[in-house]
Amino acid sequence: LKVTEEKFVLDTLAGCTEYKSILDVVVNAFYVQEGRYCPISERNLYIVICYLATFQLEEIGLQHFSRIVQSLDTAKMQQFLRFFFNDLYLNTWIKDEWSHFYDSVYVKENWIDPLLRWQPKVQQLIEKLTDKLSNRTTTVKTLRVTQPKEFNLTVPKPRAIPPPTPAPLPVLPKRQPVPPSIYKPPKERKQLEEIKIKNIQKAKDLLLEANTNQFRCATIKPEKREGTILTGREIDPFLPQYLEVVWETVLTQYFEELTIDNIPIKLNTAAILREGALYQRKLEEELKRIENLQQGAGDPSEFLEWQKQMRGKDLEEQLAEVECRRLQGKLNYEEAVLAHQNVIQENKKKAGLLRGEKAELMNLYAEKRLQEQKEMKELVEQVMEGHKNVKQVKAKIQEYKQQIVQQVCEESEELLRQALEEKEEKNRKRYELIQQIRAIESATSIRHKFVDLTETGGHGLFGEMSIVELRERLALLREAQKAAEEEKRDQIIHEKQAKEQLILDKLDQISQFRAELGRAAALKQEEKKKSQSGERSMKDERILNLQKKIVEKTMERKKQAGLL
C-alpha cells in the first residue's frame, strides 16, 4: 500500500479497537432487529462502516465515504445505513447506551449532533442504493456442465477356450418309489384328536362350573336361609378340595376313554417321568389320608358330594337363566328383522316414484341433446368443406418429405453396413493373431523335482521332523483318540441302559395306575347312569313361552321375506 493508504488503514484499525464498546452496541442491535439473516462473518464489515460514519466522516468527506459504501454489497450497506442513520434511534437508545461509557454531554455534542447533520446527505446515498437495488437486473449465470470422459483402461485379452473333452455320463441307480402310506395320516392320530377335543370341552365345562360357583359365599339365596350346613353368609373353606375333585374327575374320564378305546399312545421320556411323579404323589396322599382316618380324622367325601350336588343345581338354574336371556335376544333379533323388512318395503315404494320422475326428466334431456347434436353436425359439415382443399395440399407435402427421408435412410444403411464389414474383418485378424500368441505361450517345459520323505527340511528349528515321522506320530495320536472315544461310548451306553430301565419301571407303574383309574371310572359311570335314569328333565315355563314366540316371529319373518 501507499503511505497514505497504509496510514488510513492503521488509523481505522486503531479506532475500531479503541471504540469497540460503543461500536458493538450498534452492531449487536442491528443483528437483533434488522440483520437476523446476515452471516456473523460480516460483523467486522459493519463495525468498520459504523466507525467511519461516526468518527471519520468529517475528515474523509461524503464523496470518499460514498465510494467505500458503493464498492461493497449494495443490499447490506443500504440495510445497515438505514438502520444506523435513523433519527429516532440516534436520539433515544443509541444516545442512552453510549452515555453508559462516556459523558452524555460529550456524546451529544461530538457524536450524535454530527450524525444528525450528515443524516440528510446520507439519506440521499441510501436512496441511490435503493434505486440501484430496484433497477438491478439479475443475470443468470450458466454453469458449465461437467462432461464425463471414459477411462482409458486396458482391454483384457480374451482367453482361449479349450476344446471340450468328452467324459462318460454318470448313470444313476434306479430309486425305489415312495410308498403311498407316507402321504396318508395314521388313524390313531385322528382318534387321539377326537378324544382330545372331547376332553378339552369337558374340562372347559368343569372349569366354567368352578368359576361360576367360586364366590357363591358372598350371595344370599332365598331357598338357603337357614337349616343348611353352608349358608350364603359363610366362607367356603373346601373350594381347593372341590377343584381337586374336579381335576381327578377329568383325569378319570380321560383315562377311562383311553382304556375303553385301546388306542396306543407314544409318550416321551419327560411325559413318562412327569406322569410317574404325579401317580407317586397321589399314592403318598392316599396313604396319608388312610393314616389320618386310622387316627380318627373325619372323611369330607360325603360333604363334598353333597356340596357338588348343590352346586350342580345352582349351575342348572344359572344355565336356565342364560338360556332365557339368549332366547330373549333371539326374539329381539326377529322383531328387528321384521322392522327392517317394513322399512325396505317403504323405501322400495319411494324408489319407484323417484324412478318414474327420473325417466321423464331423462326423456326431456335426450330430446334436447339430439337437437343440439343435429345443429352441431350441420356446423361441422360447413367447416369441413372449407378445410378440404388445405388437407390435399398438406398431404402432397407430406408425401414429398417421406420420399426424401426414405432416400436418406437407404444411403445411411449402406454406409453402416460397409463399416460393420470392415470392423468384423479387422476383429477376425486380431483374434487369429491372439490365438497364435497364446498357443506359443502355453507350450511350457515340464520340470520334475524328486523329494525324499525321510529327510528333514534343514531349517534349524526345534522339533523339526521328516514327513515319515510326522505321519507316524499322527497315526499314534489317532489311535489314542479312538481309544478315548470307545471308552466314552461305553460309558454313554451304560448310562442309557440305566435310564431305559428306570423308564420301563415308571411305565409299569403308570400302566397299573391307569388300569385302576379305568376300573374306578367305569364303576362310577355305571352308577351315574343308574342314578340319572330315574330323573326326568323339565324345562322352565319361561323358556317354553320364549321358544313359542320365537317360532311365531320366525314364521312371520319368512312370510314377509316371501312377499318382498
Side-chain angles (χ1 to χ4, degrees):
L1 297 176
K2 298 179 182 179
V3 177
T4 55
E5 295 176 351
E6 184 178 1
K7 182 177 180 300
F8 174 75
V9 172
L10 292 175
D11 292 341
T12 304
L13 178 61
C16 291
T17 306
E18 182 179 359
Y19 298 101
K20 183 178 182 300
S21 57
I22 63 175
L23 297 176
D24 287 340
V25 171
V26 179
V27 176
N28 292 337
F30 171 74
Y31 270 96
V32 171
Q33 296 183 15
E34 301 289 337
R36 287 189 296 271
Y37 302 104
C38 296
I40 199 67
S41 59
E42 297 174 355
R43 178 184 175 85
N44 293 330
L45 173 64
Y46 298 126
I47 289 175
V48 171
I49 297 300
C50 184
Y51 170 78
L52 294 176
T54 307
F55 300 100
Q56 297 291 330
L57 192 56
E58 297 281 348
E59 184 177 351
I60 64 177
L62 182 63
Q63 186 177 4
H64 193 181
F65 180 77
S66 300
R67 286 202 301 269
I68 293 173
V69 169
Q70 291 176 358
S71 65
L72 300 173
D73 189 277
T74 306
K76 296 175 183 177
M77 290 297 102
Q78 186 260 354
Q79 189 178 11
F80 179 76
L81 292 177
R82 186 181 59 193
F83 170 80
F84 183 51
F85 282 92
N86 193 342
D87 294 338
L88 181 62
Y89 294 166
L90 289 172
N91 289 319
T92 55
W93 61 268
I94 293 178
K95 178 183 175 182
D96 296 335
E97 291 294 329
W98 285 359
S99 297
H100 292 312
F101 302 99
Y102 295 89
D103 185 63
S104 59
V105 178
Y106 179 81
V107 169
K108 186 177 184 307
E109 293 178 356
N110 294 297
W111 296 337
I112 299 299
D113 291 340
L115 288 172
L116 292 174
R117 287 197 305 270
W118 285 104
Q119 197 269 343
K121 297 182 179 180
V122 175
Q123 189 64 32
Q124 296 177 1
L125 176 61
I126 294 172
E127 292 176 358
K128 290 182 181 179
L129 295 176
T130 306
D131 295 336
K132 186 178 179 181
L133 284 174
S134 60
N135 297 328
R136 183 171 58 183
T137 57
T138 58
T139 58
V140 180
K141 297 182 179 179
T142 58
L143 300 177
R144 185 178 179 183
V145 182
T146 304
Q147 298 294 335
K149 293 183 179 180
E150 296 182 357
F151 293 105
N152 189 11
L153 301 176
T154 304
V155 180
K157 299 178 180 179
R159 296 182 177 273
I161 301 173
T165 57
L169 296 174
V171 180
L172 296 175
K174 187 176 181 181
R175 298 184 179 274
Q176 296 180 356
V178 180
S181 60
I182 296 296
Y183 304 103
K184 295 181 181 180
K187 297 180 180 179
E188 290 80 3
R189 181 181 297 175
K190 185 177 180 180
Q191 295 175 356
L192 286 174
E193 289 293 332
E194 294 177 355
I195 294 171
K196 184 178 179 182
I197 293 171
K198 292 180 181 178
N199 292 332
I200 289 173
Q201 186 63 35
K202 290 179 181 179
K204 286 182 179 179
D205 296 339
L206 292 172
L207 180 61
L208 176 62
E209 180 183 356
N211 290 334
T212 53
N213 297 329
Q214 184 176 4
F215 299 106
R216 284 180 53 81
C217 60
T219 59
I220 300 175
K221 294 289 183 178
E223 66 271 11
K224 295 183 181 180
R225 295 287 184 176
E226 294 178 356
T228 57
I229 298 174
L230 187 62
T231 62
R233 299 183 181 89
E234 297 176 353
I235 299 174
D236 190 355
F238 297 99
L239 184 59
Q241 290 86 346
Y242 174 71
L243 294 176
E244 185 176 356
V245 171
V246 171
W247 178 244
E248 288 181 359
T249 306
V250 173
L251 288 178
T252 305
Q253 293 177 357
Y254 175 69
F255 288 117
E256 176 188 355
E257 293 176 356
L258 290 180
T259 308
I260 292 171
D261 295 339
N262 277 331
I263 297 173
I265 299 175
K266 185 177 181 181
L267 300 176
N268 54 11
T269 305
I272 292 170
L273 295 177
R274 188 164 54 249
E275 194 170 353
L278 175 65
Y279 289 142
Q280 187 66 28
R281 186 168 65 253
K282 285 184 175 294
L283 181 61
E284 292 175 358
E285 291 176 357
E286 186 66 21
L287 293 175
K288 188 176 180 180
R289 189 179 68 82
I290 293 171
E291 289 178 359
N292 292 333
L293 291 175
Q294 290 176 356
Q295 293 175 3
D299 189 6
S301 60
E302 296 179 359
F303 171 74
L304 292 174
E305 185 66 25
W306 172 84
Q307 190 180 28
K308 184 178 179 182
Q309 293 176 1
M310 297 302 295
R311 286 177 174 172
K313 292 180 181 179
D314 295 339
L315 180 60
E316 290 176 359
E317 294 176 359
Q318 292 179 2
L319 291 175
E321 185 68 25
V322 171
E323 183 68 18
C324 289
R325 293 178 184 174
R326 186 184 68 80
L327 294 175
Q328 186 65 36
K330 193 172 181 182
L331 181 60
N332 294 335
Y333 169 75
E334 295 292 339
E335 292 176 353
V337 171
L338 285 173
H340 184 259
Q341 289 177 352
N342 294 331
V343 173
I344 290 173
Q345 286 183 352
E346 294 178 359
N347 292 336
K348 283 186 176 179
K349 292 178 182 178
K350 294 178 181 178
L353 296 175
L354 291 175
R355 279 195 294 269
E357 295 177 358
K358 186 178 178 181
E360 294 177 359
L361 293 174
M362 289 299 293
N363 291 331
L364 295 174
Y365 180 72
E367 292 176 358
K368 186 177 179 181
R369 290 293 298 173
L370 287 173
Q371 185 66 24
E372 291 178 355
Q373 289 179 0
K374 188 176 180 180
E375 295 176 357
M376 187 63 67
K377 189 175 181 181
E378 293 176 356
L379 181 62
V380 169
E381 288 176 355
Q382 294 176 4
V383 174
M384 289 296 294
E385 290 177 359
H387 289 289
K388 194 174 291 183
N389 297 328
V390 178
K391 289 184 178 180
Q392 292 177 358
V393 174
K394 288 183 178 179
K396 291 181 180 180
I397 295 172
Q398 187 71 18
E399 290 178 359
Y400 179 68
K401 289 182 179 180
Q402 287 178 357
Q403 292 177 1
I404 295 173
V405 170
Q406 188 175 2
Q407 293 177 2
V408 172
C409 289
E410 291 177 356
E411 293 177 358
S412 61
E413 287 178 359
E414 182 65 25
L415 294 175
L416 183 61
R417 186 180 60 78
Q418 293 178 2
L420 286 174
E421 290 178 355
E422 294 177 357
K423 187 70 176 178
E424 288 177 357
E425 183 66 23
K426 190 184 295 184
N427 290 336
R428 186 181 61 78
K429 293 180 179 179
R430 186 180 298 172
Y431 181 72
E432 292 176 356
L433 181 61
I434 290 170
Q435 290 289 341
Q436 294 176 4
I437 294 171
R438 287 193 174 176
I440 295 171
E441 290 177 353
S442 62
T444 56
S445 59
I446 301 172
R447 299 178 182 178
H448 297 281
K449 185 177 181 181
F450 299 98
V451 180
D452 190 2
L453 300 179
T454 58
E455 293 182 356
T456 60
H459 301 294
L461 302 174
F462 290 109
E464 192 174 6
M465 65 184 73
S466 62
I467 295 176
V468 175
E469 185 179 357
L470 178 62
R471 290 176 180 173
E472 291 178 356
R473 291 193 180 187
L474 288 175
L476 293 175
L477 286 175
R478 289 195 190 97
E479 291 178 358
Q481 186 177 4
K482 189 174 182 181
E485 289 177 356
E486 290 292 336
E487 185 178 356
K488 184 68 175 178
R489 189 178 293 108
D490 293 340
Q491 183 181 356
I492 291 171
I493 289 171
H494 290 315
E495 293 177 355
K496 190 174 181 181
Q497 289 176 355
K499 189 174 180 180
E500 289 177 354
Q501 186 63 34
L502 176 62
I503 291 172
L504 291 175
D505 296 339
K506 291 287 183 182
L507 282 174
D508 294 338
Q509 185 181 3
I510 289 169
S511 62
Q512 293 176 4
F513 272 102
R514 284 183 178 176
E516 293 296 332
L517 287 175
R519 285 193 292 270
L523 293 174
K524 193 170 182 180
Q525 190 72 17
E526 290 177 0
E527 293 176 359
K528 188 175 180 181
K529 289 179 180 179
K530 289 178 181 179
S531 62
Q532 290 180 354
S533 62
E535 297 179 356
R536 292 184 302 172
S537 60
M538 296 180 65
K539 293 186 177 180
D540 196 350
E541 294 180 359
R542 294 181 299 166
I543 296 175
L544 294 175
N545 293 332
L546 289 173
Q547 288 179 350
K548 191 180 294 183
K549 289 182 180 180
I550 289 169
V551 171
E552 293 175 357
K553 293 290 181 181
T554 306
M555 296 297 293
E556 185 178 355
R557 177 173 60 82
K558 290 181 178 179
K559 185 178 179 181
Q560 192 73 21
L563 293 175
L564 288 176

